[in-house]
Amino acid sequence: MCAAMKFNQCTLQDIPAGDSKNKVWKWHIQDPASQRLTWNTPPKSVLVIKKIRDASLLEPFKELCRFLTEVKNMIVYVEKKVLEDPAISGDENFGAITKKFCTFREDLDDISNCVDFIICLGGDGTLLYASSLFQESVPPVMAFHLGSLGFLTPFKFDTYQTQVTQIIEGNAAIVLRSRLKVRVLKANMEKKARVDEKGIILTNGDVESSWKAVQYQVLNDVVVDRGPSSYLSNVDLFLDGHLITTVQGDGLIVSTPTGSTAYAVAAGASMIHPNVPAIMITPICPHSLSFRPIVVPAGVELKIMLSHDARNTAWVSFDGRKRQEICHGDSITITTSCFPVPSISFQDPVNDWFESLAQCLHWNVRKKQNYLSSEDEEF
């Protein structure tokens, strides 16, 4: 990143007490609410991500971009397909602004070292998309709630000028949302071929296998399911090389604490604050009453493979994208990534999280009991 940033870190200290031979170990665990974003140098570039094909975001997008370029004199990066929207490309008044933009294309252009921070306009999906654009270090993300749910988007657009100015000045709380590093290893089975004396390609029926590995950074969850098959999924789950269980049911969810409030909570899992270093394993409709969701320490290595006697293949998706089939011999390896997503908070990570639980999921909302007077208690 062009402008360096730094975060406060948790530490474990040994403090001598009196005699040098005697030491008192002191666990120092930082309060999540005290985690702050500070800039070593003022940010100069910003990536603006807008939800595609959403007409309600056009005016906020244009207004924000004018403010960033004309008032804050920042370099604005915008995805090329956003500017191809006729409502933007056909706006002559906005055309002069778009000429100042730097554009890029997903999976083709690398902007990882060009952007100081990110602004998302849309729902939670825009933050997930922003995460997918950066396979290593991710710039701080400021997400405005302009979508449907908005669990991960704490900012309201009404006062965007004041809020963006505070971020540029480095006055903001931040939460480091852990990601999952996922490696998919798939076997490519190809028939052996030979060429005869006339140059004709012949196959002899023999099969030659090769391996293809693909890696992903996942912010919410990895979902393994049975796909279109009517049979139960049958996959083996390994932890640090040891088989811990075989999942028989509709599938399995491996999620971060951030993803615990997404598909996992709908499948019966607990909700985990994003500051907790953990990985959650949640079965989807397991064919066993005793198979409950579990939480394992961040850093362990999970591996998922089809069981040798599985009747059908499985399917996997990563944050709801890149869906693909998993066959016998393929494997999915999952561990905690070294590259979290620095998510800028509206108040602080604790208050923002409980506010989202209340506003988006209506957590523990019910009609209150009537007050009982002393006379009522007699009955």
Side-chain angles (χ1 to χ4, degrees):
M1 281 168 281
C2 300
M5 57 183 175
K6 60 183 180 181
F7 311 105
N8 299 324
Q9 300 294 330
C10 300
T11 58
L12 173 62
Q13 299 174 332
D14 57 328
I15 303 175
D19 191 312
S20 59
K21 296 181 180 179
N22 299 321
K23 292 188 177 182
V24 177
W25 287 95
K26 180 180 179 182
W27 289 93
H28 176 70
I29 301 176
Q30 185 180 11
D31 179 2
S34 67
Q35 192 79 32
R36 308 295 298 182
L37 166 67
T38 57
W39 301 103
N40 290 334
T41 58
K44 298 179 181 179
S45 59
V46 57
L47 167 62
V48 178
I49 296 179
K50 184 186 81 70
K51 185 179 179 182
I52 305 296
R53 296 184 297 276
D54 191 337
S56 66
L57 297 179
L58 289 174
E59 289 307 315
F61 172 74
K62 294 176 182 179
E63 190 176 339
L64 174 65
C65 290
R66 286 194 182 97
F67 174 73
L68 292 171
T69 54
E70 296 179 349
V71 179
K72 295 300 181 181
N73 297 317
M74 300 199 71
I75 301 171
V76 177
Y77 283 78
V78 178
E79 195 167 7
K80 191 172 183 179
K81 63 183 179 182
V82 172
L83 300 183
E84 292 172 351
D85 187 333
I88 295 178
S89 59
D91 188 340
E92 296 180 357
N93 295 328
F94 193 62
I97 300 293
T98 60
K99 292 179 180 178
K100 300 178 182 179
F101 292 166
C102 295
T103 60
F104 70 97
R105 293 166 295 176
E106 182 187 7
D107 295 331
L108 293 177
D109 301 319
D110 183 10
I111 59 171
S112 57
N113 293 320
C114 303
V115 177
D116 291 333
F117 74 102
I118 304 170
I119 297 179
C120 294
L121 301 177
D124 293 342
T126 57
L127 181 57
L128 296 175
Y129 181 68
S131 169
S132 69
L133 294 175
F134 297 86
Q135 292 304 298
E136 293 187 355
S137 181
V138 186
V141 183
M142 181 183 191
F144 284 96
H145 176 30
L146 293 167
S148 54
L149 185 61
F151 196 93
L152 305 178
T153 54
F155 289 93
K156 295 181 180 179
F157 196 75
D158 298 343
T159 57
Y160 77 93
Q161 294 187 3
T162 301
Q163 294 168 345
V164 171
T165 300
Q166 289 179 344
I167 302 307
I168 294 174
E169 293 175 353
N171 182 19
I174 201 164
V175 55
L176 297 179
R177 298 184 180 274
S178 64
R179 293 196 292 178
L180 299 174
K181 182 177 72 173
V182 185
R183 185 172 182 264
V184 180
L185 191 63
K186 304 187 73 172
N188 291 331
M189 309 302 289
E190 299 177 352
K191 288 187 175 181
K192 288 184 178 180
R194 62 183 178 85
V195 181
D196 65 5
E197 63 276 3
K198 296 182 180 180
I200 300 175
I201 299 177
L202 304 174
T203 58
N204 56 10
D206 294 336
V207 176
E208 187 177 50
S209 64
S210 60
W211 295 94
K212 179 183 178 182
V214 184
Q215 188 165 295
Y216 303 96
Q217 295 284 338
V218 176
L219 178 58
N220 254 3
D221 48 38
V222 178
V223 178
V224 179
D225 60 71
R226 59 189 174 95
S229 173
S230 59
Y231 294 114
L232 295 176
S233 66
N234 196 337
V235 296
D236 294 333
L237 176 63
F238 299 83
L239 190 150
D240 287 340
H242 302 284
L243 176 65
I244 57 172
T245 192
T246 296
V247 182
Q248 296 184 86
D250 281 357
L252 185 71
I253 306 168
V254 179
S255 60
T256 63
T258 295
S260 70
T261 50
Y263 192 0
V265 74
S270 297
M271 296 177 288
I272 304 177
H273 189 276
N275 275 106
V276 178
I279 299 175
M280 176 170 283
I281 302 170
T282 307
I284 307 171
C285 297
H287 204 249
S288 169
L289 295 178
S290 60
F291 194 175
R292 310 306 302 161
I294 61 173
V295 178
V296 297
V300 301
E301 182 181 88
L302 301 175
K303 188 175 183 180
I304 300 173
M305 298 182 69
L306 272 181
S307 299
H308 70 279
D309 56 352
R311 292 184 176 184
N312 58 292
T313 61
W315 289 77
V316 62
S317 60
F318 313 94
D319 281 344
R321 308 178 76 221
K322 309 292 185 181
R323 186 169 170 82
Q324 55 195 267
E325 190 174 15
I326 298 299
C327 303
H328 282 94
D330 299 345
S331 64
I332 305 167
T333 303
I334 305 170
T335 189
T336 304
S337 171
C338 296
F339 304 103
V341 174
S343 181
I344 299 173
S345 304
F346 176 66
Q347 300 179 64
D348 61 68
V350 175
N351 283 315
D352 281 8
W353 192 67
F354 278 102
E355 183 72 17
S356 294
L357 290 181
Q359 295 297 324
C360 300
L361 300 184
H362 302 290
W363 179 60
N364 197 29
V365 175
R366 67 177 294 270
K367 186 177 180 180
K368 290 187 176 181
Q369 292 179 326
N370 292 330
Y371 170 76
L372 291 179
S373 64
S374 57
E375 292 79 6
D376 293 331
E377 292 178 353
E378 296 178 0
F379 300 95

